[in-house]
Amino acid sequence: MFRLSDRVLVLTSYLFEDVLDADFITFCSTLGADPDVIQGAGGNISIKNGDALCIKASGLWLKDAARKNTFVTVSRKEIVRRHRLRDENLHDLADASGLRPSIETGMHALLPHRFVVHVHCVESLALSAHRDAERAFAERLVSFRHVLVPPVRPGLPLALAVEEAMARQPDASVFVLMNHGLIVGSDTLEETRQTLNAVRDALALPVRSPSHAGTDLESLNDMNWHVPQDDFIHTVAADQETLRLVRQAPLYPDHVVFLGPIIPVAVDGECLSAAIERFERHHGFRPQWMVFPAQGVLTAPQNNVGEMAMLDALGRVGQRLRSSFRPLRTLPAGIIHDLTQWEAETYRKKISL
Ligand SMILES: [Zn+2]
């Protein structure tokens, strides 16, 4: 339902035909289609034009930008006003088709750059799990105007943390979000693209090849669950080093939102039904996927493409982790707790099909 109050200016995206041009849309869909950069409905991008802030809609996939309207336009001033009041409720800013602006709209509004892109690239997710991540980022990003942002919940806490980081380093164009991802801001699309690519190159880590599913996986599947056709998913279980490291996850917010707060791992020789029953008894909820060490991963039939994309990401991040990173910097417990209670994330997950 379209609503227009005297305080809230919700513009429609046709005003942005000039800036939502083919080059920009191609940039969005290319980024969104690269699972090393954005997974499922994660990540967001915005353009400013005067007071108008055109931003990716919550729950939609950037990779779909070329085939459907993926953006919502809001008043930047109104978003900043709400931020000052510590109000992150954006429900009433839904556009005529009911799309809400991204949960990170506050952060986008506060940044001064015309173009702001926020990604969950696997290089930054893996490196920020390093026990000495601050030093690792400082060494690799020495030639970039960058600043580190400590781990916080997405939404208002992230916007506040980015604001604080800007106060420390006003000319920053690269924001490293610990246990979360990256933000790159610039006044031109070309510079945004080049900076993002250069930062990703600087953060690149060696990647172990993913391991295939083991031959016993089918016989452990006594509930006819899904066997993913994706080696990055199976490698979470089949690569011993990866499993040893990722079972300490979650490392970043979208893992919690889409895959839950605990990695479900079967014990040796346990079949699927027994592993689920044991997990549920211990943790009080039913897992939607199960890791079989040295074999692979089985997923519940109700998993959607968003959850599968996040499992794939776990493998991509896991293949970049090393035992020498330990003890891993995982997502703080308070953030995990907040994420499991937050309505905005439940909404995002629900519509990200
Ligand atoms: Zn994010």
Side-chain angles (χ1 to χ4, degrees), residues 42-44 103-104 118-120 154 158 177 180-181 253-254 348:
N44 33 76
I103 55 176
E104 306 295 17
H118 163 50
V119 297
H120 301 155
L158 177 64
L177 310 181
H180 186 152
D254 270 6
R348 185 166 71 99

Side-chain angles (χ1 to χ4, degrees), residues 77-91:
K77 278 199 199 91
E78 172 61 18
I79 299 294
V80 172
R81 185 188 73 82
R82 291 179 188 214
H83 176 77
R84 299 277 169 256
L85 296 171
R86 306 293 184 256
D87 176 6
E88 64 177 330
N89 184 355
L90 304 177
H91 291 53

Side-chain angles (χ1 to χ4, degrees), residues 28-43 61-63 119-125 200 230 232-233 252 254 305-306 308-318 320:
C28 292
S29 45
T30 305
L31 272 191
D34 185 344
D36 282 342
V37 183
I38 279 174
Q39 304 81 29
W61 294 44
L62 259 191
K63 79 177 170 74
V119 297
H120 301 155
C121 63
V122 293
E123 300 87 0
S124 66
L125 295 177
R200 288 189 58 215
D230 179 341
F232 277 111
I233 294 181
Y252 41 89
D254 270 6
V305 284
M308 299 306 283
M310 227 51 73
L311 277 173
D312 173 87
L314 184 61
R316 290 172 189 273
V317 172
R320 288 167 166 82

Side-chain angles (χ1 to χ4, degrees), residues 246-325:
V246 303
R247 67 187 303 169
Q248 296 167 50
L251 301 175
Y252 41 89
D254 270 6
H255 177 103
V256 179
V257 173
F258 288 87
L259 301 179
I262 301 162
I263 307 285
V265 183
V267 297
D268 229 10
E270 200 175 37
C271 67
L272 177 60
S273 57
I276 291 174
E277 199 262 331
R278 183 180 48 76
F279 184 95
E280 200 170 1
R281 211 171 46 240
H282 283 181
H283 300 294
F285 68 97
R286 205 171 165 78
Q288 299 303 307
W289 53 296
M290 185 58 67
V291 170
F292 293 88
Q295 291 300 319
V297 172
L298 295 174
T299 58
Q302 61 267 37
N303 278 302
N304 65 34
V305 284
E307 285 143 357
M308 299 306 283
M310 227 51 73
L311 277 173
D312 173 87
L314 184 61
R316 290 172 189 273
V317 172
Q319 294 308 100
R320 288 167 166 82
L321 299 174
R322 292 287 177 280
S323 296
S324 59
F325 286 17

Side-chain angles (χ1 to χ4, degrees), residues 30-191:
T30 305
L31 272 191
D34 185 344
D36 282 342
V37 183
I38 279 174
Q39 304 81 29
N44 33 76
I45 186 165
S46 69
I47 318 176
K48 300 180 182 83
N49 188 7
D51 181 50
L53 174 72
C54 184
I55 186 158
K56 196 203 72 136
S58 181
L60 297 197
W61 294 44
L62 259 191
K63 79 177 170 74
D64 295 333
R67 65 176 189 90
K68 65 179 183 185
N69 184 25
T70 308
F71 290 85
V72 176
T73 306
V74 293
S75 160
R76 185 183 178 196
K77 278 199 199 91
E78 172 61 18
I79 299 294
V80 172
R81 185 188 73 82
R82 291 179 188 214
H83 176 77
R84 299 277 169 256
L85 296 171
R86 306 293 184 256
D87 176 6
E88 64 177 330
N89 184 355
L90 304 177
H91 291 53
D92 57 326
L93 296 181
D95 72 2
S97 55
L99 295 177
R100 289 187 198 176
S102 161
I103 55 176
E104 306 295 17
T105 301
M107 170 273 282
H108 283 261
L110 290 168
L111 287 172
H113 316 90
R114 178 164 156 78
F115 293 90
V116 173
V117 59
H118 163 50
V119 297
H120 301 155
C121 63
V122 293
E123 300 87 0
S124 66
L125 295 177
L127 201 60
S128 77
H130 193 291
R131 64 190 149 75
D132 199 4
E134 286 86 354
R135 188 180 55 80
F137 281 114
E139 285 175 4
R140 287 164 177 257
L141 298 180
V142 68
S143 61
F144 296 88
R145 288 176 282 117
H146 76 282
V147 63
L148 299 190
V149 179
V152 286
R153 165 169 84 62
L156 177 62
L158 177 64
L160 289 166
V162 167
E163 196 174 26
E164 195 273 332
M166 270 196 299
R168 276 187 281 130
Q169 178 117 7
D171 68 342
S173 59
V174 177
F175 297 77
V176 177
L177 310 181
M178 303 298 282
N179 296 100
H180 186 152
L182 286 178
I183 301 167
V184 172
S186 170
D187 287 335
T188 70
L189 183 59
E190 192 46 39
E191 191 177 62

